[in-house]
Amino acid sequence: MALYSEKVMDHFTHPRNVGVIEDASGVGEVGNAKCGDIMKIYLKIENDIIEDVKFETFGCGSAIASSSMATEMIKGKSVYDAMALTNKAVAEALDGLPAHKMHCSVLAEEAIHNALKDYFDRNNIPYDKSQFPDCEHCEHCE
Ligand code: FES
């Protein structure tokens, strides 16, 4: 069996939503200290709906495929639906990632969460702080 699914290869070779939104409503950037990969997500939000989303990922193929799939999954959704997106859902939508590449999908979940937090902060929208654990203390880094 191939190491990567056809969907991973498709999103890696033809990533959707690559780029920058200059007047973004929220921006989130995360990095993985171990592999050095970095992901940045830009959200354009109107009335709590994600009208547009772009990403820049400096990282491995799985990180690029995860960003591409994750942005497709939250486009047109509410900010609260986007908050519920998990890295597992992204990996499943890609028909799976090799176990040692699951952390790449975590970057997508965290970058989206950070961008949403930025949006909530900019607009003084209250949120449950426990949904945004400090990076070093979250389960993914332990
Ligand atoms: Fe670092 Fe994939 S190897 S995000």
Side-chain angles (χ1 to χ4, degrees):
M1 205 186 99
L3 185 57
Y4 294 107
S5 72
E6 279 179 27
K7 276 197 192 159
V8 171
M9 292 310 295
D10 177 34
H11 279 265
F12 170 50
T13 50
H14 305 100
R16 284 59 147 183
N17 308 311
V18 174
V20 173
I21 299 175
E22 295 295 348
D23 58 342
S25 320
V27 179
E29 182 173 338
V30 289
N32 181 302
K34 284 195 192 126
C35 65
D37 292 351
I38 297 171
M39 190 182 295
K40 199 163 179 181
I41 296 271
Y42 302 83
L43 301 174
K44 184 77 188 155
I45 299 169
E46 300 278 351
N47 299 321
D48 285 352
I49 300 295
I50 298 170
E51 299 285 341
D52 198 11
V53 48
K54 298 265 186 242
F55 78 88
E56 293 177 302
T57 291
F58 305 96
C60 72
S62 299
I64 290 167
S66 295
S67 336
S68 172
M69 178 57 86
T71 53
E72 286 285 274
M73 290 171 84
I74 62 167
K75 203 190 254 187
K77 299 273 172 60
S78 80
V79 291
Y80 303 102
D81 287 340
M83 268 305 297
L85 183 75
T86 63
N87 78 296
K88 287 198 183 76
V90 174
E92 272 167 27
L94 287 167
D95 289 339
L97 285 169
H100 70 287
K101 286 286 175 183
M102 278 304 283
H103 77 271
C104 315
S105 61
V106 171
L107 273 190
E109 177 188 316
E110 291 182 349
I112 288 170
H113 284 183
N114 276 4
L116 289 166
K117 181 174 180 296
D118 185 34
Y119 167 71
F120 293 146
D121 285 339
R122 287 190 203 190
N123 294 282
N124 292 319
I125 298 171
Y127 55 84
D128 176 1
K129 296 225 172 11
S130 69
Q131 286 185 292
F132 302 97
D134 289 343
C135 181
E136 301 102 83
H137 306 300
C138 84
E139 63 186 55
H140 305 306
C141 293
E142 282 168 1

